[in-house]
């Protein structure tokens, strides 16, 4: 296959992905809602464009477009809006939704694109900007034929062994949705545990507690490692880190999907509820969860000044 790809959305994730793919020998065409963002990557090798029509002429068939835009309206606008991908691209081209879209949105989008002969693949991406730069974890859905047709792309973007295919439109986003629900629960457990340590009568050194937890214990993990890094950045009190924990759609979608299946998920549900209520319930737990989000996702978690 030709090593050519267009990336739509060149923020933290898209910019990191572009750099990785260029290092792997790919030509990268880039488009962002802020044209200056794409233009700023020209010196690094990205071919910046301002429209989907220009993007189409900058690639040779079979074209591949990877969307990294917010879930919902922005995806539909990119695909089906005036001058969008469906109008500008041709039969045989491939669109990859690489954002955190709701899995039920994939099948209708795939059908609409199929009517124009354009293939659709959904990919859940984990690992944050660092993963996008150095090798991501990819959960891929869609048709098996479509996946196998461009598997070298996923091999180049993922860390070694870091991608799996799950057949069916939306299957990749479904696996990633559940991943994020699990992530909510794991982060909440760390937040609550370290709040207990922080309030203990023993004056526990929290960075050292994180260090020993992350050296061969049962809870040794990347999350504990990121918490150790957060303590280095902000100190054990996590000064300046907000106790208000932001939340995106995936945790809530996991809970609603579980309810539809008749499955009780109290850990995920309560961790989501905590995030919703954290605006009115400042606690050290919230600081820990926010600090983790900053470490792996590059989210802005600074405490807002009064």
């Amino acid at each position: 296959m030709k090593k050519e790809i267009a990336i739509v959305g060149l923020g933290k994730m898209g910019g990191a992905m572009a750099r990785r793919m260029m290092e792997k020998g790919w030509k990268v065409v880039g488009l962002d809602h802020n044209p200056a963002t794409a233009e700023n990557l020209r010196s690094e090798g990205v071919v910046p464009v301002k429209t989907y029509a220009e993007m189409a002429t900058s690639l040779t068939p079979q074209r591949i477009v990877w969307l990294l835009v917010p879930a919902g309206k922005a995806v539909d606008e990119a695909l089906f809006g005036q001058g969008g991908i469906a109008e500008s691209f041709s039969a045989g081209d491939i669109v990859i939704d690489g954002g955190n879209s709701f899995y039920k949105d994939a099948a209708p989008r795939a059908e609409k694109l199929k009517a124009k002969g354009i293939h659709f693949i959904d990919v859940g991406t984990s690992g944050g900007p660092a993963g996008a730069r150095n090798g991501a974890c990819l959960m891929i859905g869609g048709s098996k034929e479509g996946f196998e047709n461009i598997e070298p792309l996923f091999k180049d973007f993922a860390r070694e062994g870091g991608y799996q295919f799950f057949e069916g439109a939306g299957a990749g986003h479904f696996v990633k949705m559940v991943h994020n629900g699990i992530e909510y629960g794991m982060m909440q457990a760390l937040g609550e545990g370290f709040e207990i340590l922080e309030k203990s009568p023993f004056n526990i050194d929290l960075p050292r507690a994180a260090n020993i937890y992350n050296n061969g214990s049962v809870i040794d993990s990347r999350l504990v490692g990121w918490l150790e890094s957060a303590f280095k950045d902000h100190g054990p009190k996590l000064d300046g880190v907000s106790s208000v924990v932001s939340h995106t759609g995936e945790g809530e979608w996991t809970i609603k999907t579980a309810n539809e299946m008749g499955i009780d998920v109290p850990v995920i549900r309560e961790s989501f509820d905590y995030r919703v209520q954290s605006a009115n319930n400042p606690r050290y737990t919230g600081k820990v969860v926010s600090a983790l989000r900053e470490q792996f996702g590059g989210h802005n978690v600074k405490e807002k000044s009064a």
Side-chain angles (χ1 to χ4, degrees):
M1 62 180 295
K2 299 178 307 301
K3 286 197 166 189
E4 292 184 5
I5 188 170
I7 299 174
V8 180
L10 294 167
K12 293 188 295 285
M13 288 292 290
M17 180 183 182
R19 293 180 179 98
R20 177 170 177 84
M21 299 311 290
M22 287 187 292
E23 284 181 359
K24 293 287 185 178
W26 287 71
K27 171 186 174 180
V28 176
V29 176
L31 183 149
D32 193 88
H33 69 92
N34 180 2
T37 302
E39 188 62 39
N40 289 340
L41 289 169
R42 184 191 291 273
S43 62
E44 297 185 50
V46 170
V47 179
V49 296
K50 295 181 179 178
T51 66
Y52 291 108
E54 187 183 355
M55 179 183 287
T57 60
S58 299
L59 298 168
T60 53
Q62 180 184 42
R63 302 174 186 89
I64 303 172
V65 187
W66 192 298
L67 297 180
L68 283 169
V69 299
K73 184 178 178 182
V75 177
D76 288 316
E77 193 63 34
L79 294 175
F80 308 114
Q82 185 174 2
I85 289 169
E87 283 186 12
S88 304
F89 283 69
S90 307
D93 293 340
I94 298 168
V95 176
I96 300 166
D97 181 2
N100 283 321
S101 290
F102 185 44
Y103 78 97
K104 288 184 179 179
D105 292 338
R109 289 169 179 159
E111 283 301 311
K112 286 179 74 173
L113 290 170
K114 186 178 179 181
K116 294 179 174 289
I118 298 171
H119 305 287
F120 180 86
I121 292 177
D122 54 285
V123 177
T125 306
S126 185
R133 183 68 183 86
N134 303 306
C137 170
L138 305 176
M139 303 153 222
I140 306 161
S143 72
K144 188 173 183 181
E145 180 184 358
F147 162 72
E148 290 176 343
N149 205 19
I150 58 170
E151 186 173 0
L153 163 63
F154 302 121
K155 189 171 184 179
D156 278 351
F157 182 38
R159 62 183 293 173
E160 186 175 354
Y163 67 92
Q164 289 286 351
F165 172 71
F166 305 90
E167 190 164 5
H173 282 153
F174 186 86
V175 175
K176 177 57 163 52
M177 177 190 73
V178 176
H179 160 285
N180 282 30
I182 294 168
E183 176 188 297
Y184 272 44
M186 292 173 69
M187 290 168 66
Q188 185 70 16
L190 280 175
E192 292 173 6
F194 272 82
E195 182 169 352
I196 296 168
L197 292 173
E198 197 262 342
K199 287 181 166 54
S200 82
F202 295 105
N203 193 27
I204 300 292
D205 184 316
L206 299 184
R208 288 175 58 219
N211 176 269
I212 193 59
Y213 283 168
N214 213 40
N215 274 284
S217 84
V218 171
I219 62 169
D220 186 330
S221 66
R222 296 179 77 189
L223 283 171
V224 178
W226 278 317
L227 182 55
E228 196 175 353
S229 296
F231 286 138
K232 290 177 183 175
D233 291 345
H234 302 289
K237 296 293 185 183
L238 297 175
D239 294 323
V241 176
S242 177
S243 60
V244 178
V245 188
S246 297
H247 52 91
T248 51
E250 301 91 329
E252 187 174 12
W253 294 340
T254 306
I255 296 161
K256 288 181 176 178
T257 300
N259 288 340
E260 290 171 4
M261 295 176 165
I263 300 170
D264 189 22
V265 287
V267 172
I268 298 174
R269 184 181 64 249
E270 289 173 19
S271 63
F272 171 74
D273 289 344
Y274 176 86
R275 292 192 182 198
V276 173
Q277 297 159 10
S278 65
N280 301 311
N281 185 26
R283 282 175 48 187
Y284 188 78
T285 292
K287 284 180 171 282
V288 171
V289 177
S290 289
L292 289 170
R293 295 184 77 249
E294 177 189 46
Q295 289 294 316
F296 68 73
H299 301 287
N300 181 5
V301 298
K302 290 182 180 177
E303 207 163 27
K304 293 181 180 177
S305 54

